[in-house]
Amino acid sequence: MKIQARFILFFTLLVILMNGVAFYLFHNSQRTIDDYHTSFERFIVLNEISQQTNTVYEAMNTYLTARTQTELTAYATERKILSQEKEELLDTVKNEGNDQIVTNYENMIESFLLECDITVQAFQRQEINQYSGHLNEAAQISAFIQETTLTLINSELTDYRIFYNEMDQKSSYLQWMGISLFVSMIIFSLLMAFWFSRGITKPIHELAAAAKKLAKGDFTANKVVVKSRSELRLLAETFYRMQENIQGLIIEMKQKSELDQLLKEMELKSLQSQMNPHFLFNTLNTISRRAYIEGAEQTSELIESVAALLRYNLGNLAKDVTLKDELTIVREYFFIQKSRFGERVKFDVIADENVLDCKIPVLTLQPIVENAFIHGVETYEEGGKIMIRIYAEQDDVIIEVADNGVGMETTRLSQLFSNDEHSPIDNRQGHSTGLGMQNVKKRIELFSQQAGSMTVHSSKEVGTTVRLNLPYRKPKGDEQFA
């Protein structure tokens, strides 16, 4: 998670927590107010019913006295109000504790209204005795309603005392709850702030310590691990890659220095000023014979091949070239040798054009081909064959130089990579480069940073196959040999 997102998350959680506490306290306070309002509303309803009962009775007596339509209308209005309040009584006052009393109370109100209606109707029919009896009955019921109202109010007051005590306890509880939540919120915020800041400062301190080690040339610092997917993780990984790259560059510089030392030890600089006399003699002798036997055209081609070979061998031996360049100069070598031996030796090249841009140390193929020719098929009067196969295998380039020559025994095969300059197998008479197989193998390993390899398989009277395994490296630009 990015640092900005972590900031947003932290403050969002803090705001949600604060609002949650505030909402909880507000909700409980609101419930207390609602309970108080409900209790108070019961008193109001009972008081209104009691007063409205007296009002209805007085309105009826006024009508019986005045005998006007106005008074009758006033009575009907007051009666309607009392009937509505009776309906509200069931919703407001009635509960499990006073169910029986409220039911009787409701029946009394209903009876009171009925007696009032009968009284009015009897009065309108001028039935004096009847309406007088119902009037007295209505007065008695009104008195019962007043008494029952007082009973219900007393019951509500008792319940209200209990309710008040509960509200007092609840208020204390909410007070302590508010304090506890406030303290918990502060502790939680501090813990969140500590966790958040530690997730930022710890990797920074570790990176600073690793940077100090790196500045002192110590590359043994452990990788700083950042578990979160923040910018610090990218910074730590980038720093670690930079450390590895610097260490790799130092190793590469050491290897390059070792390669330069190897070139010096193998006297490669001396090759820039001289060729192996035996090879040069054979080549010039061939040119002389060719010039004597035929016209100057083929002789010209042969001279051009020798010139190309000389330029390549006398070039910068410390640089890298492409596989195509190496293959070109090997073909020139093939041409020269074919001019010497004619049909005695056959040269074949099978190459994948897609990998010929792979980089390779200079003078890699030519020494191997020369070794196959001189120690393999040079003594053949006919049927000699040297084949070069170049192909891709996964991310590597495979180069195979095979001959059907005399082959080597195990003992001689082990001497092939010997550093002994006087080793029989390393006798370089007839070589154009003066480079041994050990030199080629070592330069391949240094060039590929130990990723490449060189192996040799040989059987007596069957032939020898040299296999090079190189990582596929494309050149940065077009590099041609000098």
Side-chain angles (χ1 to χ4, degrees):
M1 183 183 295
K2 294 184 177 180
I3 296 178
Q4 182 181 10
R6 296 179 70 180
F7 270 114
I8 295 173
L9 177 62
F10 173 73
F11 286 110
T12 301
L13 290 175
L14 185 61
V15 170
I16 291 175
L17 183 62
M18 294 177 63
N19 282 278
V21 172
F23 177 78
Y24 175 78
L25 296 176
F26 169 77
H27 178 68
N28 282 277
S29 299
Q30 189 64 39
R31 286 182 58 187
T32 302
I33 294 173
D34 292 341
D35 292 341
Y36 178 79
H37 175 74
T38 301
S39 178
F40 186 73
E41 189 176 3
R42 293 193 187 100
F43 289 109
I44 294 176
V45 170
L46 291 173
N47 183 63
E48 288 180 349
I49 289 177
S50 177
Q51 292 180 358
Q52 191 64 25
T53 301
N54 291 330
T55 301
V56 170
Y57 185 78
E58 290 174 358
M60 182 183 65
N61 280 331
T62 301
Y63 168 69
L64 296 177
T65 303
R67 302 180 180 181
T68 63
Q69 184 64 33
T70 302
E71 299 302 329
L72 180 61
T73 303
Y75 161 74
T77 302
E78 298 298 333
R79 182 191 182 286
K80 183 177 180 181
I81 294 173
L82 180 59
S83 179
Q84 292 175 349
E85 290 178 350
K86 178 180 74 69
E87 298 297 332
E88 185 179 355
L89 175 69
L90 297 176
D91 299 331
T92 305
V93 180
K94 191 173 183 180
N95 55 46
E96 293 180 358
N98 60 11
D99 181 70
Q100 188 64 38
I101 298 175
V102 173
T103 301
N104 293 334
Y105 191 62
E106 179 186 10
N107 292 334
M108 282 190 289
I109 296 173
E110 187 69 29
S111 298
F112 172 74
L113 294 175
L114 180 60
E115 290 298 329
C116 288
D117 290 341
I118 293 174
T119 300
V120 171
Q121 292 173 4
F123 177 77
Q124 289 175 345
R125 294 193 301 269
Q126 297 299 318
E127 296 176 358
I128 303 301
N129 293 330
Q130 188 177 4
Y131 96 80
S132 178
H134 286 290
L135 180 62
N136 291 332
E137 186 69 23
Q140 291 178 0
I141 295 174
S142 176
F144 289 145
I145 290 174
Q146 301 302 322
E147 293 176 2
T148 306
T149 300
L150 291 175
T151 301
L152 289 172
I153 289 176
N154 288 332
S155 176
E156 288 295 330
L157 286 173
T158 302
D159 294 340
Y160 182 78
R161 187 178 295 109
I162 297 173
F163 169 74
Y164 177 79
N165 292 332
E166 291 178 351
M167 290 300 101
D168 185 55
Q169 294 178 358
K170 192 172 184 180
S171 177
S172 299
Y173 169 77
L174 289 176
Q175 182 179 2
W176 283 106
M177 178 62 72
I179 294 173
S180 300
L181 288 175
F182 181 73
V183 173
S184 300
M185 184 178 65
I186 292 177
I187 295 175
F188 178 76
S189 299
L190 291 175
L191 291 175
M192 286 288 293
F194 175 76
W195 170 79
F196 178 75
S197 61
R198 187 172 181 271
I200 296 176
T201 57
K202 183 181 177 181
I204 291 177
H205 291 159
E206 291 178 353
L207 284 173
K212 289 180 180 179
K213 283 188 175 182
L214 187 62
K216 295 177 181 179
D218 184 0
F219 295 93
T220 61
N222 295 327
K223 182 179 181 181
V224 179
V225 179
V226 181
K227 296 181 179 179
S228 62
R229 297 184 177 179
S230 62
E231 291 86 346
L232 291 175
R233 183 175 183 178
L234 176 62
L235 181 62
E237 291 178 350
T238 303
F239 179 83
Y240 185 71
R241 285 197 298 269
M242 180 189 70
Q243 177 179 324
E244 287 184 328
N245 291 337
I246 293 175
Q247 191 172 8
L249 287 174
I250 292 175
I251 294 174
E252 185 178 347
M253 290 175 64
K254 289 181 179 179
Q255 291 178 343
K256 187 175 181 180
S257 175
E258 184 179 351
L259 178 59
D260 291 340
Q261 184 66 28
L262 179 64
L263 292 175
K264 291 179 181 179
E265 290 175 356
M266 299 305 295
E267 298 180 344
L268 292 182
K269 287 186 176 181
S270 65
L271 298 177
Q272 296 181 358
S273 61
Q274 64 181 7
M275 293 288 289
N276 187 293
H278 185 73
F279 173 79
L280 187 58
F281 173 81
N282 290 339
T283 302
L284 293 177
N285 189 37
T286 301
I287 296 174
S288 177
R289 290 199 307 269
R290 179 71 64 179
Y292 179 79
I293 295 173
E294 59 185 16
E297 184 177 347
Q298 293 187 12
T299 302
S300 176
E301 293 178 1
L302 186 58
I303 293 174
E304 289 178 359
S305 296
V306 173
L309 197 64
L310 289 174
R311 283 198 303 272
Y312 196 80
N313 280 273
L314 297 177
N316 184 1
L317 299 178
K319 72 174 183 177
D320 301 328
V321 296
T322 63
L323 191 52
K324 183 178 180 180
D325 295 335
E326 280 287 291
L327 202 56
T328 299
I329 207 62
V330 167
R331 285 193 173 101
E332 298 291 352
Y333 176 81
F334 281 171
F335 180 76
I336 295 172
Q337 297 292 41
K338 195 170 182 61
S339 299
R340 289 180 58 197
F341 296 95
E343 299 299 325
R344 288 170 55 188
V345 181
K346 183 179 180 182
F347 302 100
D348 289 325
V349 177
I350 302 175
D352 183 356
E353 297 290 338
N354 296 323
V355 297
L356 293 184
D357 58 348
C358 176
K359 295 193 70 175
I360 188 173
V362 67
L363 290 178
T364 297
L365 291 185
Q366 189 180 339
I368 299 174
V369 172
E370 287 181 340
N371 193 78
F373 182 83
I374 296 171
H375 299 289
V377 300
E378 186 177 29
T379 59
Y380 280 20
E381 293 297 330
E382 62 179 5
K385 185 176 181 180
I386 297 176
M387 173 180 287
I388 298 178
R389 293 181 66 244
I390 301 173
Y391 58 93
E393 187 175 272
Q394 296 182 352
D395 295 331
D396 295 336
V397 176
I398 307 300
I399 305 172
E400 294 179 350
V401 180
D403 66 73
N404 64 344
V406 296
M408 289 179 285
E409 297 176 349
T410 306
T411 304
R412 290 175 60 83
L413 187 61
S414 63
Q415 294 174 348
L416 184 63
F417 299 112
S418 173
N419 290 322
D420 186 5
E421 294 182 357
H422 304 289
S423 173
I425 197 67
D426 205 34
N427 185 1
R428 295 169 197 150
Q429 184 174 355
H431 283 258
S432 65
T433 62
L435 300 180
M437 299 291 279
Q438 170 66 15
N439 180 276
V440 175
K441 181 177 183 294
K442 188 64 177 177
R443 287 192 294 123
I444 287 175
E445 291 175 350
L446 292 174
F447 169 78
S448 61
Q449 298 179 355
Q450 307 301 322
S453 63
M454 176 179 177
T455 57
V456 179
H457 302 281
S458 182
S459 298
K460 194 67 175 173
E461 303 302 333
V462 175
T464 303
T465 300
V466 179
R467 177 185 171 97
L468 303 182
N469 191 316
L470 296 171
Y472 186 20
R473 293 174 54 185
K474 291 185 178 181
K476 296 181 180 179
D478 293 332
E479 297 180 2
Q480 301 296 334
F481 54 87

